[in-house]
Amino acid sequence: MIIFEWAVVMFIWFGISQRGLGIADLVGGRWARPIDVVRDIVIAIGFLMVSAVVLSGLDHFVKTAPNAAIRNLLPQGPIEIILFLAMSLTAGFCEELIYRGYLQRQFIALTWTVAGGILMQAIVFALGHGYQGWQFVALISVVAAMLGLLAYWRKSLRPGMIAHALQDGVTGIVAAHLLR
C-alpha cells in the first residue's frame, strides 16, 4: 500500500509538472519560521479534537464496530508497529495530496463549486475505505469533507497531513493495544 500511494503521487507529480507545477504547489503554504510549524500542529490537534466530537456523535447513530478487515490491519509486535507508523505517515502525506490537494481541485473545476469539489473528493476517499464496512465509510466521508474544508480554509494541506498521520497512527496503535 505504501508503494501504491507513492506511485499515485508520482503519477500526479508527472501530470502537474507538464503544466509547470510541483508538489509544493499542491501542498500550499510555507513554513518560513518555526512558529508556522507550531501553528499547523496546533490547528491539526484542534481539528482532531473537533472531528472526535463530531464522529462520536455520529457513531451514536451509525454504531461502528471493528470488523475482521480492520483487525487484520492493526500492528502486532515491534516490526509491524514500525511499518504501521510508516503507513500512517504515508497516508497522511499521500492521501491528503491525492484527495484534498489534487482531486478536490479537479472536482471544484469540474463542478464549478467548492462544495461540489469537497463533497466529491470526500465520497471518493470514503469509498476507497469500503473494506471497513458501510458504517465506517459513512464516518470517513464526514472526516474527508472536514479535511477538505480545512484544506480549502488554510490554502494548505499541511495541517490536514499532520492530523491525518496522527489520527491513523495513534488510533491504530491504541486500537491494537485495546483489541488484544
Side-chain angles (χ1 to χ4, degrees):
M1 204 57 207
I2 291 172
I3 293 168
F4 175 75
E5 288 195 358
W6 282 106
V8 173
V9 167
M10 293 305 296
F11 180 75
I12 290 170
W13 169 80
F14 177 76
I16 65 173
S17 69
Q18 302 303 304
R19 297 193 182 262
L21 299 172
I23 296 297
D25 295 308
L26 291 181
V27 172
R30 296 276 186 257
W31 283 341
R33 302 165 299 160
I35 192 70
D36 298 334
V37 177
V38 172
R39 181 191 61 228
D40 283 346
I41 291 170
V42 169
I43 290 169
I45 292 169
F47 173 86
L48 290 173
M49 292 181 349
V50 170
S51 67
V53 170
V54 169
L55 292 180
S56 65
L58 290 174
D59 192 47
H60 177 73
F61 299 104
V62 180
K63 308 260 191 265
T64 58
N67 60 25
I70 293 171
R71 289 177 188 272
N72 290 335
L73 290 175
L74 298 176
Q76 300 172 18
I79 301 282
E80 286 187 19
I81 289 172
I82 291 167
L83 290 172
F84 187 86
L85 292 174
M87 182 63 221
S88 297
L89 290 171
T90 294
F93 182 84
C94 294
E95 291 178 5
E96 289 307 304
L97 187 87
I98 294 164
Y99 292 95
R100 266 60 76 184
Y102 182 74
L103 285 178
Q104 181 166 300
R105 291 175 192 213
Q106 294 297 317
F107 288 140
I108 288 170
L110 180 70
T111 63
W112 297 1
T113 67
V114 172
I118 291 172
L119 181 64
M120 288 180 74
Q121 68 77 22
I123 291 168
V124 172
F125 181 77
L127 290 175
H129 293 80
Y131 64 91
Q132 294 183 17
W134 74 267
Q135 295 97 335
F136 281 102
V137 168
L139 295 181
I140 290 168
S141 68
V142 172
V143 172
M146 291 173 67
L147 284 164
L149 287 167
L150 177 63
Y152 185 77
W153 168 61
R154 291 293 304 145
K155 306 291 185 247
S156 172
L157 301 177
R158 293 170 195 267
M161 288 175 166
I162 295 166
H164 192 147
L166 281 172
Q167 182 175 5
D168 286 3
V170 172
T171 302
I173 301 298
V174 169
H177 180 72
L178 292 176
L179 296 174
R180 287 185 184 173

